[in-house]
Amino acid sequence: MAFTSVWLREPRKPGGPGRSREEIVAAAVELLDEEGLDGLSMRKLGARLSAGATSLYWYVATKDELLELAYDQVWGEMTVADPDKVGWRDAVSVLAHSMRQVMLRHPWLADLLGRLPALGPNALHVADRMRRMFKVAGFRGSDVDFAGATLTAYVFGMTTPEIAWNSAMGETGDDTEEMRATVRRAVAEFPEMIEGVDMNARADPRAMRELSFDFGLVSVLDGLERRLTT
Amino acid sequence: MAFTSVWLREPRKPGGPGRSREEIVAAAVELLDEEGLDGLSMRKLGARLSAGATSLYWYVATKDELLELAYDQVWGEMTVADPDKVGWRDAVSVLAHSMRQVMLRHPWLADLLGRLPALGPNALHVADRMRRMFKVAGFRGSDVDFAGATLTAYVFGMTTPEIAWNSAMGETGDDTEEMRATVRRAVAEFPEMIEGVDMNARADPRAMRELSFDFGLVSVLDGLERRLTT
DNA sequence: ACCTGAACACCGTTCAAGT
DNA sequence: ACCTGAACACCGTTCAAGT
């Protein structure tokens, strides 16, 4: 009914007997990394902690709360540089690359971003530092938020399809050759698309994605920088 | 095992007795619009077509195939302008706004983007035309794809959180006042964030999101344009 | 060719009951 | 304070059987 989040209510007092929140979250992240979002069920997580499936409900009101916790946990892996030392453009750039790497390391993140509120301490810390970066750059007022939203939208939007591609490939094995043939067939009636598929035929897809990410990131940063000079 | 998609195999010959694929897809989109991704189950969709839950498996191999069909269906709602007539920047801009509107109209799209392959005719048509736009702009080689990826990443990444916000608000009712208070509490230790929350306190959130989207879109377009002048 | 119902192996969550 | 098992109301998908 009301807007809720794990972070908006008091947690169980830690330090008692029984499992700790950290233990549970760590196990959840493990399971998510191994089996993906669909692989995480309360029963499986319970088993991994050698507990009954429903014991978890003592620590967590709902599965979504558990996901919020796991979510914030990995936000802690982001690298935030100090814009006063390295300059805002480098700081933002490092953060963007770091966000991408964390997402690639935890592919289930893509499914959660934008679906869950990001009010955990780690997520807030990153957001706080990012605001700082754009203020150092010279943005003022709402533009600070707009710039931040633009940057994260880009990174998130660029990395999500990359993850999907990875996992599609992971399941298929690396028969890139055969699948390119089928894609070419699907694309047969679209002249521009044929050109695109053919052009990328002999490129290394992994390297290509790095190039693409950097191309877009530079574009976004240039475009943001332009907002400052008027 | 192998990489699959509805679009890569022959459909049931249409025109026979029984339900048509269009009928089923239309019902699926309806149900998705009304109840969201979690609201669509094979049983509910079957009921809506006054059929047994499992009858659908005659037309569709799996639920994901059904989603692929619904997915491509709404790609058909995108507005694609002719860059030779209106210029590449306007054409891209119109497409970007259109993508956002379609996503807001079908919030479940956000959950599917990047999760499913987009090999349907409507999605390919849009991609084809977008490639055209960036070629008219002057991009060559892989840069055409990079520019397209950047643009769609931005729109997708920007609109996904907007949808999440909308649905969170939809469930809560519009007690924006109370929830801003709780957010402020969560954010208490992060000085930059406090400023951000306070600043936006009396702004109309809906108008704010339009502004934010346009700010970012102009930035992305400026940044892309800059790639052309070197 | 098309549709059905029963069945299988799962889910998240509640709750009374145990220690 | 913490944990359990049984139970409820769901899932997607398979398959033998019907018309």
Side-chain angles (χ1 to χ4, degrees), chain B residues 166-188:
Chain B
N166 282 348
S167 83
M169 287 304 91
E171 284 158 20
T172 317
D174 289 352
D175 53 341
T176 321
E177 209 37 69
E178 182 202 340
M179 86 147 274
R180 186 136 40 211
T182 59
V183 167
R184 210 185 318 250
R185 195 151 45 90
V187 145

Side-chain angles (χ1 to χ4, degrees), chain B residues 9-29:
Chain B
R9 53 177 190 78
E10 293 305 312
R12 298 269 170 215
K13 195 175 274 133
R19 274 127 194 130
S20 72
R21 190 173 257 197
E22 285 82 32
E23 215 179 330
I24 292 172
V25 174
V29 170

